[in-house]
Amino acid sequence: MKFSLSVAMSPLDQLTELAVAAEESGFSSVVLPDSLFYSEEVSADYPYTPDGNRFWNEETPWADPLVAAAAMGAVTTNIEFYTSVLKLGSRNPVLLARQVNSVAALTGGRFGLGLGVGWSPEEFEWCGAPYARRGARVNEAIEVLRLILDGGMVEYHGEFFDFGKLRMSPTPPSRVPFYIGGHTEVALRRAAKYGDGWSSAMMKFDDLRSTISRLRELLTEAGRADVPFEYQAVCIDRFGVDGYRQQAEIGVTDVITMPWMFDGIGFDGELSAKKDSIRKFGAEVIAAVGEGR
């Protein structure tokens, strides 16, 4: 089992030092969230809270995850970075491919792309993308990204995206994995078809178990049962060494966590306190799970 550090909503001037501390403490990756802006009003409910309300406000800090990954990659050596998840529906995949290509090259291939559709109509429409038929558009966007990032002279002619032969150079030093987010049946089918893994939002253990089981069924239907596949989880009711072992038993391969929350430290907590929590988690949890203690 791997452990990934979420830095969601932390002050931006903490990010590079948090990445260094995570690398030194045994974390495999740093997870980067995505939010384009905070609109005063939204015309859809946020899908991952019971009441549909956002749990951040207009002053909550968000870095562009690709810029943040490049900055953190510059001060680390081995730790990897991935988005969880980047909202693809409001972005142009050709421009995004250029950015991902650059981050992958600058980090020496230490970058994975977590992808989701997006939930806010305002994020789509105010960025010039239609909210209608967003799922089908995102499917094409994923195909465009994979085509370009895999290298060579390529072209694409679809319903939503159409371009002649082009090449982006350099090709990423290694294949950029795609981790598809979302809890709906449509999202799970998208992950089984296009993904190198699936990334959860906040889920209870029993829901996580049934979702992983369904994903395995869908991978089999897609003829991909034997393809390596990551299950990245934010499980909200199983913690500690025993809890993470239970997650591993149901198939979780990568635990996404924020250690300072266990110590009562908030998103805007002091950097030194967060680093202490990271080191303690590495020594008491990651080492124990890795050694089977």
Side-chain angles (χ1 to χ4, degrees):
M1 171 174 277
K2 298 185 293 186
F3 289 86
S4 292
L5 177 74
S6 172
V7 294
M9 294 177 274
S10 285
L12 305 195
D13 60 2
Q14 295 183 356
L15 297 185
T16 54
E17 291 198 49
L18 291 176
V20 171
E23 182 172 68
E24 293 172 347
S25 301
F27 283 84
S28 296
S29 305
V30 173
V31 180
L32 301 161
D34 181 42
S35 180
L36 294 174
F37 51 76
Y38 185 94
S39 57
E40 186 173 44
E41 296 183 1
V42 289
S43 50
D45 288 341
Y46 180 65
Y48 302 116
T49 56
D51 60 6
N53 289 323
R54 295 168 285 184
F55 58 88
W56 62 95
N57 61 40
E58 62 189 279
E59 297 186 359
T60 302
W62 299 85
D64 182 287
L66 299 167
V67 174
M72 290 187 285
V75 297
T76 56
T77 303
N78 299 310
I79 198 166
E80 299 180 353
F81 308 92
Y82 63 85
T83 54
S84 182
V85 291
L86 184 138
K87 298 170 183 176
L88 183 53
S90 51
R91 288 174 164 90
N92 179 287
V94 178
L95 294 175
L96 180 60
R98 172 73 282 168
Q99 295 171 298
V100 173
N101 189 315
S102 300
V103 175
L106 290 169
T107 59
R110 293 184 285 137
F111 184 73
L113 190 59
L115 294 168
V117 175
W119 64 276
S120 168
E122 286 73 18
E123 284 195 339
F124 284 77
E125 293 162 4
W126 296 355
C127 290
Y131 190 65
R133 302 199 64 218
R134 56 197 178 278
R137 186 174 181 272
V138 161
N139 289 346
E140 275 200 13
I142 293 172
E143 293 175 356
V144 169
L145 284 167
R146 175 54 68 206
L147 189 68
I148 295 175
L149 291 173
D150 282 354
M153 187 69 67
V154 299
E155 60 184 303
Y156 189 89
H157 305 286
E159 178 183 355
F160 302 95
F161 304 102
D162 189 292
F163 54 86
K165 291 184 177 181
L166 60 81
R167 178 177 181 177
M168 289 188 184
S169 184
T171 301
S174 57
R175 186 177 186 272
V176 176
F178 290 176
Y179 308 124
I180 309 300
H183 297 174
T184 65
E185 177 73 8
V186 172
L188 300 182
R189 288 185 177 276
R190 181 178 294 115
K193 180 177 181 178
Y194 295 110
D196 300 287
W198 169 75
S199 188
S200 85
M202 297 170 287
M203 296 186 78
K204 292 184 177 180
F205 180 81
D206 289 343
D207 294 331
L208 185 61
R209 176 169 49 197
S210 62
T211 300
I212 290 174
S213 177
R214 180 58 180 153
L215 276 163
R216 287 171 170 163
E217 293 174 353
L218 293 171
L219 285 164
T220 298
E221 290 178 14
R224 303 185 66 219
D226 297 327
V227 174
F229 195 85
E230 293 277 349
Y231 297 93
Q232 302 166 343
V234 182
C235 183
I236 62 174
D237 59 355
R238 290 292 191 281
F239 306 109
V241 172
D242 290 340
Y244 298 129
R245 286 179 180 155
Q246 290 176 38
Q247 291 188 45
E249 288 171 0
I250 64 170
V252 172
T253 60
D254 186 352
V255 170
I256 301 172
T257 188
M258 193 177 286
W260 48 87
M261 289 295 187
F262 299 123
D263 296 325
I265 300 166
F267 295 117
D268 59 351
E270 293 291 331
L271 174 61
S272 59
K274 290 182 178 180
K275 290 166 69 174
D276 287 344
S277 293
I278 290 171
R279 296 186 187 104
K280 182 173 73 171
F281 190 91
E284 297 181 358
V285 177
I286 297 178
V289 172
E291 295 174 4
R293 296 204 304 268

